[in-house]
Amino acid sequence: MQFTLLNIRRRQILQEIKSLGLYLFLIIVIIIYIIIISYKQFEKGQNSIFIIVALTLICLSLQVTRKDKTFIYKHADQPHLQIFSEYLALTFPIAITSIFTSAWYCYPLLLLSLFLIPYLSFTVRKVTAFKNITSVIPASNFEWISGFRKIYPVFIGFYLLALATCKVRVLPLLILWFITVIILSFYSEGEPIEILRESGKVPKLLLFNKLILNYKCLVILYTPILLLNSLFNPDFIIINVLFIIIQISLITFAIFLKYSSYVPNKSQKGNSILISIIAFTGALPYFLPIPLILSVIYYFKAKSNLNHYLND
């Protein structure tokens, strides 16, 4: 069996590495930092299961939102093993460290979870659902509108689950984080150049307005659940505030990453690997500086790239 998907990902990573330049060293340092912190968590027995759940949810979100499922299951050789090998390679650097600790059992649990995920081969039927959604989500936030319409059953289902579990201390936060990971996939396609230029703004203002718009949507979406969770668990107020800051930092990074490699009407599948790694950092507060640092780096890359399209 040829591991076609892994070869595609390898080429995408090499292409991204070439575009990073000197920033590659910083990315490597960040990845090593994530691996070391994860190992220490496994070693201490703290958050071990939480890390495995987070890795599983990231792969689950990739499975739910990926656009190539229909093609893979119809034409790829042994599609389940192909997809499983992709998720295995993605989680391997972090999860394998558990083998060398007392939490060694976490790795077999992860392998079982990853093996089952490819069997979720369903795709949401493409219909123009929620035709009046612009009365809730501003029309200018086309990423959310398009993304929500594609996977609204999953989105609504997990949101209601988070709402129903507000009395539980950590569970609703984990579910909201999973929703954030799904939202990050909304920024995987470049809009037509006409939409980009519609605002008539320079790159700096365009990015700023995009951030503010997305921050508002995220805060409005999460506030009811976080307020209820704080009401039932008053000692979680600070944690909930920190949680929303972390989710905002993930959205910030995803937007800057999108526009750093923006090409009109082109899918940015190569960004999914880096998005998945940074999404994992949103699951634990130890990693808060990482999306913030990378946001600064990719802000300048996004600003430079947009200059080519807005200053013609």
Side-chain angles (χ1 to χ4, degrees):
M1 180 185 72
Q2 293 184 343
F3 291 96
T4 307
L5 290 181
L6 285 181
N7 288 328
I8 292 173
R9 296 306 179 199
R10 180 180 59 82
R11 290 196 293 268
Q12 290 174 341
I13 291 173
L14 291 176
Q15 185 177 1
E16 179 64 21
I17 287 174
K18 291 179 181 178
S19 68
L20 285 173
L22 294 176
Y23 292 128
L24 175 61
F25 176 75
L26 179 59
I27 298 294
I28 293 174
V29 171
I30 288 174
I31 292 175
I32 293 174
Y33 172 74
I34 293 173
I35 293 173
I36 292 174
I37 294 297
S38 299
Y39 169 73
K40 289 184 176 180
Q41 294 300 304
F42 285 128
E43 191 176 38
K44 294 177 182 177
Q46 297 176 350
N47 302 315
S48 300
I49 295 297
F50 189 79
I51 291 174
I52 296 304
V53 170
L55 292 173
T56 301
L57 289 178
I58 287 174
C59 293
L60 179 61
S61 72
L62 289 174
Q63 179 71 8
V64 170
T65 59
R66 65 187 306 155
K67 301 177 179 65
D68 56 359
K69 274 187 294 190
T70 302
F71 179 84
I72 291 173
Y73 285 104
K74 283 185 177 180
H75 303 287
D77 178 33
Q78 298 185 24
H80 293 88
L81 287 179
Q82 293 265 10
I83 295 175
F84 168 69
S85 65
E86 185 181 19
Y87 296 152
L88 178 62
L90 176 64
T91 58
F92 180 82
I94 294 173
I96 193 62
T97 60
S98 66
I99 291 292
F100 308 102
T101 70
S102 59
W104 60 268
Y105 56 87
C106 289
Y107 195 60
L109 288 176
L110 176 66
L111 292 180
L112 177 60
S113 301
L114 297 183
F115 184 77
L116 294 175
I117 287 176
Y119 287 96
L120 299 174
S121 58
F122 71 91
T123 54
V124 179
R125 190 164 56 92
K126 293 183 178 180
V127 294
T128 307
F130 299 95
K131 295 182 179 180
N132 297 321
I133 195 173
T134 51
S135 61
V136 179
I137 303 176
S140 54
N141 196 352
F142 50 85
E143 292 99 341
W144 278 48
I145 293 174
S146 175
F148 178 78
R149 281 175 172 166
K150 290 176 182 176
I151 56 168
Y152 65 90
V154 176
F155 198 99
I156 293 175
F158 276 97
Y159 187 81
L160 292 177
L161 181 61
L163 196 62
T165 58
C166 281
K167 288 185 178 182
V168 185
R169 292 161 64 87
V170 178
L171 185 57
L173 302 187
L174 182 62
I175 296 171
L176 288 183
W177 169 78
F178 176 66
I179 293 175
T180 300
V181 176
I182 292 177
I183 292 173
L184 297 182
S185 69
F186 295 172
Y187 306 100
S188 62
E189 291 188 20
E191 64 269 27
I193 190 67
E194 294 79 12
I195 295 179
L196 183 73
R197 291 175 172 171
E198 192 176 45
S199 63
K201 295 181 175 64
V202 297
K204 182 178 180 180
L205 284 177
L206 185 148
L207 291 171
F208 177 78
N209 289 340
K210 175 76 71 172
L211 291 179
I212 296 301
L213 175 64
N214 282 266
Y215 291 169
K216 287 180 179 178
C217 290
L218 190 74
V219 170
I220 291 173
L221 180 67
Y222 287 179
T223 293
I225 294 174
L226 294 178
L227 283 178
L228 286 173
N229 185 257
S230 298
L231 181 64
F232 291 119
N233 306 286
D235 56 326
F236 251 51
I237 293 177
I238 295 178
I239 293 177
N240 285 333
V241 172
L242 181 61
F243 173 82
I244 195 66
I245 293 174
I246 293 174
Q247 306 316 298
I248 285 175
S249 71
L250 293 179
I251 294 294
T252 302
F253 170 73
I255 291 174
F256 289 159
L257 177 64
K258 171 190 173 180
Y259 287 107
S260 70
S261 56
Y262 167 81
V263 176
N265 301 307
K266 185 175 180 181
S267 177
Q268 300 174 333
K269 294 180 181 178
N271 290 345
S272 62
I273 298 172
L274 187 53
I275 282 286
S276 299
I277 294 173
I278 302 307
F280 174 73
T281 67
L284 294 172
Y286 308 99
F287 301 125
L288 176 58
I290 293 178
L292 296 177
I293 292 172
L294 290 180
S295 292
V296 173
I297 293 173
Y298 279 91
Y299 165 73
F300 291 105
K301 290 169 67 70
K303 187 178 175 183
S304 174
N305 186 47
L306 288 175
N307 273 323
H308 299 303
Y309 298 100
L310 297 179
N311 295 329
D312 287 352

